[in-house]
Amino acid sequence: MQFLLASGNNPISHVIDAPVRIGGMEPYSGLTLQVVTLFVGLIVFMAVLLYASKNISTGKESLGHRRYLSRGRIAQVIEVMCLYLRDDILTPMMGKKDAHKFTPFLLTLFFLILSLNLIGMVPMQDMQLITGTWIQDAQLAVVGGTATANIAVNAVLAFFVFIVIQAHGFRELGVKGWLEHLCGGHELVAGPKALWLVVPIIFVVEVLGLIIKPAALCIRLFANMFGGHTLLATMLMFGGMTWVGTNSGLATAGVTLVSGIFAILITFMELFVALLQAFVFMFLSAVFISLMSHHEEEAEAHELEGATATAH
Amino acid sequence: MNIFLLANEAAAESPLSFKLLPAYSTIVVFLVAFGIFKFFVWPKITKALDARDEKILSEIRAAEAAQAKAKAAQSEFEKRLEEARTAADDMIRKARSEADRQADELRTRSQRELEDMRLRATQELESAKRTALAEIHAVAATLATSVAGKILKREIQPSDQKRLVDESLSEMTSR
C-alpha cells in the first residue's frame, strides 16, 4: 500500500519541488530536489554525449572502412538525432549559415531538456521516500522530481533563447532594422503614410511578442511536464483513495489494477511527451531565431517579382 | 503517514512560485552544458560526420570513375570484338572464295585431264584399230593365200599373192 500512498493525498504534492531531506531534517536550506536533479541531468547529459561523441568520431585506421561507423547503440541514436535535427529540421528552416551557427545552442537545449524530462520519469523521489520510511523512518529525499516541471528552470532556458533571438536580431538587422522590425517591417515604415496609424499597435504587439514568445516556450514545457506527472500521480492515487474511502481490499485491488494499467499507458505517453516537448522547445526557438534573420532569398524573390512586374 | 505530511507541506507552495536557486542553478547548468556541447561534443560529431560524408563521396566518385573506366573498357572490348568479327568474316569469305576458286580449278583440271584421257584413249583406239586392221590384213592375206593355194592346189606366185591381197582388201574396205 505504501507504493500507492506514496503519491500523496494531493497529486500536485507529488510533482511540486520539495526541499532535500535527510532523516527528516533539511540540512541545506533552500536546496531542493529539482535543483539536485538538474545537476544529475547535467551529469547524464555530459556522460551520454561525451560517450556518444567519442563513439561517433572516426576510429583508428586499423578498423578499415568500419572506422567511419558509429560504435554502440547510444552513439547511433544520438547520431541519428543530431543528423535529423541538423539536416532535416534546422538547415531547411534557418538556412545553412544560420543552422551552422545555432545548431550547437539549439541541440544543447534539446538534449538538456530531453535529459531532464527523461530523468524526471524515474520515480526517484518516491523510491527514496519509501525506502527512507522503511529504513528506520529516515525520510530520505535527496534527488527526484522533474526539473523541467519547475517554472524557474524553464524561465531561465527561455531567457537564454530570448537573449539569442535579440542578439541575432541586432546583428542581422542592425538597430534601425530591429526597430523597423518592431514597427512592422521596412515595407510598412517606408510605405504610405496612412499606414503609420497601425505602427503603434504593431509596435505594442511586437514588444509584447518579444516577451510572449520565450514565455510561451517556458510555460508550454512547464505545463506539459507538470500536467503529465500530475495526471500520473492522480492515477496512482485512486487506489489509496479507495482504501481510505471503503477500507475494502477487493475494491482497492480492482481500482488499483485499472488505474495501474492506465498509469502504465500514460507513462509511455509521458515518454513520448518528454521527447516531443524537448523537440518543440528547440524547434520553436529555431523558428523565433530565424524570424530575425535577414532573408536574402525573400529579398531576391521580391526583387525578381519587381523586375517581372516592370518588364510587363 | 509521514509521506502524507511531507506531501501536504510541499503542496502548500504554488507550482508557479519562482525560486532563485533553481534559476541560478539552471544558468550554471546550461552554460556548462553548452560549453561541453559546443567545444567537446559537437566538433567531434561534425568532424566525424564530415569525414564520413567525404569518405562516402570519395567512394562514390571512385565508383563512378571505375564505372566509367569499365564502360570504356567494355566499349573498347566491343569495338575489338566487332573488328575481330569483321576480320573473321573476311577470312571466312576469303577462304570460301579461295575454296571455290580451288574447286573450280580442280574441276577444270579434271575436265581437261579427262578430255586428254578421252582423246588419248580415242587415239590409242584408232591406233589399235589401225594396227589390228593391218594385222588382220596380213593374217587374212596369209590365210587367203594359203586357202587359195590349197584350193587351187598350185603354187601361187608372189605377184599373184599381192594381187589377191589387194583385191581382198579393196573388197573388205568397200564392205
Side-chain angles (χ1 to χ4, degrees):
Chain A
M1 284 304 297
Q2 280 186 319
F3 283 105
L4 297 168
L5 290 172
S7 60
N9 60 349
N10 179 351
I12 291 176
S13 67
H14 180 78
V15 185
I16 206 161
D17 200 9
V20 169
R21 287 173 187 267
I22 300 171
M25 306 292 286
E26 293 180 23
Y28 310 104
S29 178
L31 185 62
T32 60
L33 298 176
Q34 288 178 351
V35 171
V36 179
T37 309
L38 194 60
F39 284 96
V40 172
L42 175 66
I43 292 166
V44 170
F45 170 93
M46 282 164 51
V48 170
L49 287 175
L50 286 172
Y51 169 80
S53 66
K54 189 185 166 201
N55 284 294
I56 291 169
S57 59
T58 309
K60 293 173 187 170
E61 294 227 352
S62 59
L63 292 169
H65 288 307
R66 293 187 67 80
R67 71 182 186 275
Y68 293 101
L69 300 178
S70 300
R71 298 164 291 282
R73 294 273 184 268
I74 293 174
Q76 285 165 354
V77 169
I78 297 290
E79 182 200 312
V80 167
M81 284 179 168
C82 287
L83 270 177
Y84 172 70
L85 293 175
R86 185 188 70 171
D87 296 344
D88 294 342
I89 301 291
L90 297 177
T91 304
M93 186 168 60
M94 306 178 84
K96 201 167 184 179
K97 190 179 142 212
D98 280 354
H100 179 73
K101 196 194 293 180
F102 292 107
T103 298
F105 171 73
L106 293 166
L107 288 191
T108 304
L109 276 176
F110 173 76
F111 283 116
L112 185 63
I113 293 171
L114 182 63
S115 304
L116 296 174
N117 289 351
L118 291 177
I119 287 169
M121 295 294 296
V122 183
M124 291 184 288
Q125 193 177 350
D126 307 303
M127 288 192 285
Q128 289 164 100
L129 281 171
I130 291 162
T131 317
T133 308
W134 282 344
I135 304 167
Q136 299 172 348
D137 203 20
Q139 292 189 18
L140 187 69
V142 180
V143 60
T146 310
T148 43
N150 188 317
I151 194 83
V153 172
N154 297 349
V156 169
L157 294 177
F159 179 71
F160 277 115
V161 174
F162 171 79
I163 296 286
V164 170
I165 292 170
Q166 300 315 320
H168 180 60
F170 275 121
R171 187 184 287 177
E172 281 283 307
L173 307 173
V175 178
K176 189 179 167 227
W178 184 75
L179 286 170
E180 278 184 347
H181 175 78
L182 287 184
C183 295
H186 181 73
E187 288 82 1
L188 189 62
V189 175
K193 289 181 182 174
L195 290 176
W196 286 4
L197 289 171
V198 297
V199 167
I201 301 168
I202 290 176
F203 182 76
V204 171
V205 171
E206 285 288 342
V207 169
L208 286 173
L210 293 180
I211 311 298
I212 289 169
K213 283 172 191 165
L217 291 177
C218 164
I219 291 168
R220 183 183 298 106
L221 181 58
F222 165 75
N224 273 284
M225 301 319 294
F226 194 88
H229 288 289
T230 307
L231 180 62
L232 203 55
T234 307
M235 282 289 165
L236 290 170
M237 241 181 64
F238 287 147
M241 287 168 70
T242 309
W243 175 254
V244 171
T246 63
N247 213 19
S248 160
L250 191 65
T252 305
V255 171
T256 304
L257 181 68
V258 175
S259 63
I261 289 168
F262 274 97
I264 290 167
L265 294 176
I266 286 168
T267 302
F268 281 113
M269 193 190 74
E270 277 286 286
L271 277 172
F272 172 68
V273 169
L275 188 72
L276 182 70
Q277 288 307 314
F279 174 77
V280 166
F281 197 102
M282 186 273 315
F283 180 77
L284 290 178
S285 301
V287 170
F288 297 148
I289 290 168
S290 65
L291 283 177
M292 282 297 190
S293 294
H294 179 65
H295 296 290
E296 288 172 8
E297 288 149 15
E298 278 182 24
E300 279 174 14
H302 285 310
E303 278 173 20
L304 195 67
E305 280 174 12
T308 315
T310 312
H312 285 297
Chain B
M1 288 307 291
N2 285 326
I3 296 165
F4 282 129
L5 290 173
L6 278 170
N8 283 335
E9 282 171 30
E13 289 180 10
S14 164
L16 290 170
S17 65
F18 190 96
K19 289 189 175 172
L20 287 177
L21 186 62
Y24 292 143
S25 304
T26 308
I27 292 171
V28 173
V29 164
F30 183 78
L31 290 177
V32 171
F34 180 62
I36 296 278
F37 192 84
K38 185 168 173 59
F39 297 110
F40 297 103
V41 174
W42 192 236
K44 275 189 187 175
I45 292 176
T46 47
K47 193 179 165 191
L49 295 178
D50 290 346
R52 190 187 304 168
D53 285 351
E54 188 54 41
K55 173 71 178 167
I56 291 167
L57 282 174
S58 68
E59 293 286 333
I60 289 170
R61 278 193 213 108
E64 282 174 349
Q67 196 181 15
K69 205 172 168 183
K71 268 188 182 172
Q74 190 186 5
S75 63
E76 177 67 24
F77 168 75
E78 281 173 358
K79 190 180 155 194
R80 286 191 183 178
L81 191 68
E82 190 58 39
E83 283 173 3
R85 196 173 287 147
T86 311
D89 286 347
D90 283 349
M91 285 169 74
I92 291 168
R93 197 164 47 248
K94 277 179 188 170
R96 195 170 285 159
S97 66
E98 179 66 19
D100 288 346
R101 190 187 62 75
Q102 284 182 357
D104 285 345
E105 194 180 312
L106 275 174
R107 198 182 301 119
T108 311
R109 195 190 300 163
S110 303
Q111 281 175 349
R112 196 166 58 237
E113 282 175 1
L114 275 173
E115 187 64 27
D116 288 348
M117 282 170 72
R118 194 178 62 79
L119 205 63
R120 213 163 31 244
T122 308
Q123 285 172 351
E124 280 173 4
L125 274 174
E126 281 295 324
S127 167
K129 186 181 169 185
R130 272 197 298 274
T131 308
L133 280 175
E135 281 177 7
I136 287 167
H137 280 187
V139 172
T142 307
L143 281 175
T145 305
S146 162
V147 169
K150 281 176 183 172
I151 294 169
L152 295 177
K153 295 208 189 266
R154 64 171 183 106
E155 278 289 317
I156 296 173
Q157 294 301 311
S159 58
D160 297 331
Q161 186 178 347
K162 190 177 183 303
R163 189 177 44 83
L164 283 171
V165 167
D166 288 338
E167 283 174 5
S168 300
L169 279 175
S170 60
E171 277 176 15
M172 195 178 286
T173 307
S174 64
R175 240 181 255 171

